[in-house]
Amino acid sequence: MSQKTEKLTKRRAASVPQGPFNVTPLFAARAEGSVITDVDGREFIDFAGGIGVINTGHRHPKVVAAIKDQAERYIHTCFHVVMYEPYLELAERLCSLTPGNFSKMTLFANSGAEAVENAVKAARYHTRRPAVIALEHAFHGRTLLGMSLTGKVMPYKSGFGPFAPEIYRMPAPYCYRCSFGLEYPSCGLACAEHLHELFRTHVAAESTAALIAEPILGEGGFITPPPEYFPALARICKENGIVLIADEVQSGMGRTGTMFATQHWGVEPDLITSAKSLAAGMPLSAVIGRQEILNAAHVGGLGGTYGGNPICLRAALAVLDVFEEENLLDRARSLGRTLRARLDSMAERRSLVGEVRGLGPMLALELVRDKKTKEPAAEETKELIRYAYQNGLVILSCGGYGNVIRLLMPLNIAEEQLNRGLEILDKGLGQVGK
Ligand code: PLP
């Protein structure tokens, strides 16, 4: 560790709580495209994107120009006090980009957790029902409701109770480790059909306001459901007047090769939450969905001082322009094909890789000590992350057992950086745990 980094590390330990975790010991000086340069001038290929926030790359020139231009005009008036057009323009564009040919509206907030909070508030108000159903392995944020909806105890819930009431849990569509000990497709989608059991044993359907689910469970380990799973959830929700909230905070904004992951399965969620790559690193989140749900709450019932900050909105509008002008969804799909082939090859050659899963370029490797017993290789995963940054690559883990490596690089990553990063990952898989 250089003197500079060592000094910063000491200051961090002295003045910032340990609660906010750090994946690497690095301090950033600059970032451009898919590369982060640290304070010692070392370059790192970024396969983490600040946890899925940098789909358009670091400091895309169009995003930077929009931020600068807006800062020259006005930074904050508060939408509740003096309104501004970028709020309307982004709302309109998101309404037309999200699946579903029905009247929609969009509400802006600052973080993924806040989007989740608002989606649940809107669903409860609209249905006048209290209960919310969430999945095991889910992650919906760190606010009281967000962590209550989250299905992972350490580190998100342990010691932070009591939790918000009226939350009911069902198993995730985790085929690699099926809660029912079944196999797809002979399972008959037991995990989706389990909703009926939940209605019998835990909460009445007519007391349930919403079911919230991530199309691909991000923090939970990039758990990817079979294609019929979300359509089945949508059908059961519809039959019972339950609002389906697709939490697309991590899976949205092109991450899976479509703008929103639910589009892969022809599902039209009642509400969609978006954040992360929505504004390329500026804090912005959105709830987009059915007009009758989002417009139900009375005036003053929703909102916040900073929600829909003009600079963040302009950054998000620039992100949407980049998607259109640079065919980013096509690039994402092509990246997905390349990545899948490379990861599949690693899985064949490396004993540590138990499964490759995901959709498009939203892919992950679940690491196991033994491909038969599937014993989670959590220590080896930590070692791999360390090996990666020591060799110039930033990667992230996830998963209920801390043994999944997820890839969240910019969708427009240059081929050379992609190859270099994948080589480091591949070599690391061959070296750790030995
Ligand atoms: N929902 C999902 C699916 C997420 O992945 C995250 C963050 O990782 C959140 C909600 C919370 O977002 P934030 O950290 O911006 O509050």
Side-chain angles (χ1 to χ4, degrees), residues 195-206:
L195 258 179
H196 295 295
E197 188 60 21
L198 210 71
F199 296 151
R200 265 191 296 275
T201 56
H202 286 278
V203 61
E206 50 275 20

Side-chain angles (χ1 to χ4, degrees), residues 51 111-114 116 139-141 214 219 247 249-250 275-276:
I51 320 191
S111 66
E114 261 193 87
V116 167
F139 182 76
H140 297 294
E214 299 156 80
E219 239 12 76
D247 184 351
V249 164
Q250 194 159 161
K276 290 199 183 278

Side-chain angles (χ1 to χ4, degrees), residues 103-385:
S103 298
K104 290 181 213 146
M105 286 185 159
T106 301
L107 169 78
F108 293 109
N110 306 291
S111 66
E114 261 193 87
V116 167
E117 296 265 349
N118 278 292
V120 170
K121 277 173 74 173
R124 280 181 169 156
Y125 197 102
H126 169 73
T127 58
R128 301 286 172 170
R129 300 172 176 183
V132 182
I133 297 172
L135 301 186
E136 289 172 359
H137 298 288
F139 182 76
H140 297 294
R142 294 169 185 273
T143 54
L144 176 60
L145 182 59
M147 74 169 166
S148 301
L149 290 167
T150 290
K152 185 177 177 184
V153 173
M154 266 309 273
Y156 305 120
K157 304 175 81 145
S158 185
F160 295 127
F163 302 106
E166 287 300 328
I167 289 168
Y168 300 87
R169 188 82 49 196
M170 65 183 248
Y174 195 177
C175 297
Y176 188 64
R177 299 178 189 277
C178 177
S179 301
F180 301 92
L182 299 172
E183 273 196 27
Y184 175 78
S186 57
C187 60
L189 284 184
C191 51
E193 295 303 324
H194 187 74
L195 258 179
H196 295 295
E197 188 60 21
L198 210 71
F199 296 151
R200 265 191 296 275
T201 56
H202 286 278
V203 61
E206 50 275 20
S207 301
T208 304
L211 186 158
I212 183 165
E214 299 156 80
I216 293 181
L217 288 93
E219 239 12 76
F222 278 25
I223 296 171
T224 310
E228 305 89 347
Y229 177 80
F230 254 78
L233 289 190
R235 173 180 43 79
I236 300 170
C237 284
K238 197 167 181 199
E239 284 165 3
N240 291 283
I242 295 169
V243 174
L244 175 63
I245 305 171
D247 184 351
E248 294 249 22
V249 164
Q250 194 159 161
S251 60
M253 298 311 293
R255 191 70 242 167
T256 66
T258 52
M259 205 50 150
F260 294 96
T262 34
Q263 289 171 300
H264 285 275
W265 310 307
V267 169
E268 298 175 351
D270 299 306
L271 298 177
I272 288 180
T273 50
S274 178
K276 290 199 183 278
S277 280
L278 174 61
M282 299 299 288
L284 182 71
S285 65
V287 188
I288 313 129
R290 288 189 185 273
Q291 177 170 12
E292 66 271 23
I293 301 174
L294 282 175
N295 209 25
H298 49 260
V299 173
L302 303 172
T305 305
Y306 295 112
N309 170 272
I311 295 182
C312 304
L313 293 165
R314 288 289 306 280
L317 286 165
V319 164
L320 294 184
D321 290 343
V322 171
F323 267 93
E324 278 175 21
E325 292 161 16
E326 300 178 16
N327 294 323
L328 206 51
L329 287 179
D330 285 344
R331 292 181 74 170
R333 286 190 278 268
S334 156
L335 172 67
R337 286 189 292 273
T338 308
L339 271 181
R340 173 66 80 161
R342 297 287 293 270
L343 298 184
D344 281 346
S345 148
M346 290 180 208
E348 270 172 33
R349 289 178 291 106
R350 304 296 187 192
S351 57
L352 210 49
V353 181
E355 186 178 58
V356 180
R357 60 171 173 261
L359 264 181
M362 185 169 181
L363 291 173
L365 302 170
E366 174 148 2
L367 306 187
V368 291
R369 294 208 167 123
D370 181 314
K371 294 199 190 208
K372 280 217 174 76
T373 64
K374 301 183 181 176
E375 184 192 345
E379 277 314 308
E380 293 83 345
T381 305
K382 279 191 202 140
E383 216 185 300
L384 182 61
I385 290 173

